[in-house]
mmCIF file of all heavy atoms in Angstrom:
data_model
loop_
_atom_site.group_PDB
_atom_site.id
_atom_site.type_symbol
_atom_site.label_atom_id
_atom_site.label_comp_id
_atom_site.label_asym_id
_atom_site.label_seq_id
_atom_site.Cartn_x
_atom_site.Cartn_y
_atom_site.Cartn_z
ATOM 1 N N ASN A 99 16.030 34.122 7.219
ATOM 2 C CA ASN A 99 16.224 35.019 8.330
ATOM 3 C C ASN A 99 15.932 36.467 7.923
ATOM 4 O O ASN A 99 15.376 37.287 8.715
ATOM 5 C CB ASN A 99 17.598 34.917 8.933
ATOM 6 C CG ASN A 99 17.865 33.555 9.543
ATOM 7 O OD1 ASN A 99 16.904 32.863 9.884
ATOM 8 N ND2 ASN A 99 19.134 33.205 9.714
ATOM 9 N N ARG A 100 16.322 36.834 6.662
ATOM 10 C CA ARG A 100 16.057 38.212 6.231
ATOM 11 C C ARG A 100 14.581 38.443 5.923
ATOM 12 O O ARG A 100 14.134 39.544 6.090
ATOM 13 C CB ARG A 100 16.878 38.489 4.930
ATOM 14 C CG ARG A 100 18.394 38.812 5.307
ATOM 15 C CD ARG A 100 19.163 39.572 4.242
ATOM 16 N NE ARG A 100 18.500 39.974 2.973
ATOM 17 C CZ ARG A 100 18.671 39.357 1.825
ATOM 18 N NH1 ARG A 100 19.541 38.363 1.722
ATOM 19 N NH2 ARG A 100 18.060 39.772 0.765
ATOM 20 N N PHE A 101 13.928 37.440 5.446
ATOM 21 C CA PHE A 101 12.527 37.510 5.083
ATOM 22 C C PHE A 101 11.747 36.440 5.821
ATOM 23 O O PHE A 101 11.614 35.284 5.329
ATOM 24 C CB PHE A 101 12.323 37.401 3.642
ATOM 25 C CG PHE A 101 12.949 38.465 2.828
ATOM 26 C CD1 PHE A 101 14.245 38.188 2.263
ATOM 27 C CD2 PHE A 101 12.356 39.718 2.650
ATOM 28 C CE1 PHE A 101 14.878 39.230 1.520
ATOM 29 C CE2 PHE A 101 13.059 40.685 1.821
ATOM 30 C CZ PHE A 101 14.300 40.416 1.312
ATOM 31 N N PRO A 102 11.171 36.697 6.988
ATOM 32 C CA PRO A 102 10.473 35.730 7.762
ATOM 33 C C PRO A 102 9.275 35.077 7.068
ATOM 34 O O PRO A 102 8.843 34.008 7.384
ATOM 35 C CB PRO A 102 9.981 36.458 9.045
ATOM 36 C CG PRO A 102 10.346 37.874 8.925
ATOM 37 C CD PRO A 102 11.229 38.046 7.649
ATOM 38 N N ASN A 103 8.796 35.703 6.023
ATOM 39 C CA ASN A 103 7.641 35.136 5.298
ATOM 40 C C ASN A 103 8.048 34.313 4.110
ATOM 41 O O ASN A 103 7.218 33.864 3.310
ATOM 42 C CB ASN A 103 6.631 36.239 4.891
ATOM 43 C CG ASN A 103 7.176 37.352 3.996
ATOM 44 O OD1 ASN A 103 8.385 37.588 4.126
ATOM 45 N ND2 ASN A 103 6.403 37.888 3.117
ATOM 46 N N ILE A 104 9.357 34.209 3.871
ATOM 47 C CA ILE A 104 9.802 33.213 2.810
ATOM 48 C C ILE A 104 10.115 31.863 3.390
ATOM 49 O O ILE A 104 10.840 31.782 4.420
ATOM 50 C CB ILE A 104 11.100 33.717 2.103
ATOM 51 C CG1 ILE A 104 10.783 35.000 1.268
ATOM 52 C CG2 ILE A 104 11.682 32.653 1.183
ATOM 53 C CD1 ILE A 104 11.974 35.533 0.445
ATOM 54 N N LYS A 105 9.589 30.797 2.829
ATOM 55 C CA LYS A 105 9.892 29.460 3.316
ATOM 56 C C LYS A 105 10.523 28.773 2.158
ATOM 57 O O LYS A 105 9.999 28.653 1.050
ATOM 58 C CB LYS A 105 8.565 28.769 3.675
ATOM 59 C CG LYS A 105 8.708 27.284 3.942
ATOM 60 C CD LYS A 105 8.712 26.983 5.431
ATOM 61 C CE LYS A 105 8.929 25.546 5.714
ATOM 62 N NZ LYS A 105 10.337 25.065 5.536
ATOM 63 N N VAL A 106 11.837 28.325 2.399
ATOM 64 C CA VAL A 106 12.561 27.634 1.353
ATOM 65 C C VAL A 106 12.307 26.150 1.403
ATOM 66 O O VAL A 106 12.429 25.523 2.518
ATOM 67 C CB VAL A 106 14.059 27.926 1.437
ATOM 68 C CG1 VAL A 106 14.826 27.159 0.388
ATOM 69 C CG2 VAL A 106 14.338 29.403 1.307
ATOM 70 N N ILE A 107 11.919 25.540 0.348
ATOM 71 C CA ILE A 107 11.686 24.060 0.270
ATOM 72 C C ILE A 107 12.793 23.459 -0.579
ATOM 73 O O ILE A 107 12.904 23.787 -1.745
ATOM 74 C CB ILE A 107 10.327 23.754 -0.295
ATOM 75 C CG1 ILE A 107 9.262 24.196 0.763
ATOM 76 C CG2 ILE A 107 10.161 22.313 -0.597
ATOM 77 C CD1 ILE A 107 7.933 24.480 0.217
ATOM 78 N N GLU A 108 13.667 22.701 0.084
ATOM 79 C CA GLU A 108 14.797 22.168 -0.620
ATOM 80 C C GLU A 108 14.436 20.807 -1.300
ATOM 81 O O GLU A 108 14.620 19.787 -0.721
ATOM 82 C CB GLU A 108 16.030 21.964 0.348
ATOM 83 C CG GLU A 108 17.285 21.940 -0.385
ATOM 84 C CD GLU A 108 18.430 21.631 0.633
ATOM 85 O OE1 GLU A 108 18.654 22.409 1.585
ATOM 86 O OE2 GLU A 108 19.138 20.636 0.432
ATOM 87 N N SER A 109 14.005 20.924 -2.521
ATOM 88 C CA SER A 109 13.624 19.703 -3.258
ATOM 89 C C SER A 109 13.425 20.081 -4.728
ATOM 90 O O SER A 109 13.018 21.240 -5.040
ATOM 91 C CB SER A 109 12.336 19.154 -2.720
ATOM 92 O OG SER A 109 12.001 18.001 -3.408
ATOM 93 N N GLY A 110 13.680 19.123 -5.618
ATOM 94 C CA GLY A 110 13.391 19.399 -6.991
ATOM 95 C C GLY A 110 11.937 19.260 -7.288
ATOM 96 O O GLY A 110 11.215 18.742 -6.485
ATOM 97 N N VAL A 111 11.478 19.783 -8.404
ATOM 98 C CA VAL A 111 10.077 19.646 -8.785
ATOM 99 C C VAL A 111 9.913 18.432 -9.620
ATOM 100 O O VAL A 111 10.673 18.249 -10.635
ATOM 101 C CB VAL A 111 9.554 20.922 -9.582
ATOM 102 C CG1 VAL A 111 8.153 20.649 -10.146
ATOM 103 C CG2 VAL A 111 9.544 22.095 -8.626
ATOM 104 N N LYS A 112 8.892 17.574 -9.284
ATOM 105 C CA LYS A 112 8.734 16.318 -10.091
ATOM 106 C C LYS A 112 7.653 16.627 -11.159
ATOM 107 O O LYS A 112 7.673 16.149 -12.261
ATOM 108 C CB LYS A 112 8.301 15.217 -9.154
ATOM 109 C CG LYS A 112 8.236 13.881 -9.796
ATOM 110 C CD LYS A 112 8.298 12.720 -8.757
ATOM 111 C CE LYS A 112 6.971 12.564 -8.067
ATOM 112 N NZ LYS A 112 7.044 11.496 -7.001
ATOM 113 N N GLN A 113 6.642 17.391 -10.763
ATOM 114 C CA GLN A 113 5.538 17.638 -11.640
ATOM 115 C C GLN A 113 4.766 18.912 -11.348
ATOM 116 O O GLN A 113 4.691 19.332 -10.218
ATOM 117 C CB GLN A 113 4.546 16.401 -11.444
ATOM 118 C CG GLN A 113 3.551 16.207 -12.536
ATOM 119 C CD GLN A 113 2.441 15.240 -12.146
ATOM 120 O OE1 GLN A 113 2.407 14.759 -11.007
ATOM 121 N NE2 GLN A 113 1.549 14.959 -13.030
ATOM 122 N N LEU A 114 4.239 19.486 -12.407
ATOM 123 C CA LEU A 114 3.389 20.678 -12.298
ATOM 124 C C LEU A 114 2.012 20.259 -12.758
ATOM 125 O O LEU A 114 1.848 19.766 -13.872
ATOM 126 C CB LEU A 114 3.968 21.802 -13.135
ATOM 127 C CG LEU A 114 3.010 22.952 -13.482
ATOM 128 C CD1 LEU A 114 2.539 23.705 -12.281
ATOM 129 C CD2 LEU A 114 3.660 23.937 -14.448
ATOM 130 N N ARG A 115 1.037 20.529 -11.835
ATOM 131 C CA ARG A 115 -0.365 20.220 -12.257
ATOM 132 C C ARG A 115 -1.069 21.623 -12.377
ATOM 133 O O ARG A 115 -1.663 22.090 -11.379
ATOM 134 C CB ARG A 115 -1.069 19.334 -11.208
ATOM 135 C CG ARG A 115 -0.431 18.029 -11.040
ATOM 136 C CD ARG A 115 -1.221 17.127 -10.131
ATOM 137 N NE ARG A 115 -0.450 15.935 -9.777
ATOM 138 C CZ ARG A 115 -0.656 15.289 -8.651
ATOM 139 N NH1 ARG A 115 -1.580 15.721 -7.724
ATOM 140 N NH2 ARG A 115 -0.017 14.177 -8.367
#
Side-chain angles (χ1 to χ4, degrees):
N99 292 342
R100 281 201 359 254
F101 298 95
N103 58 330
I104 291 183
K105 169 99 183 79
V106 178
I107 290 158
E108 201 185 301
S109 180
V111 170
K112 191 159 75 182
Q113 198 192 2
L114 161 63
R115 300 188 189 150

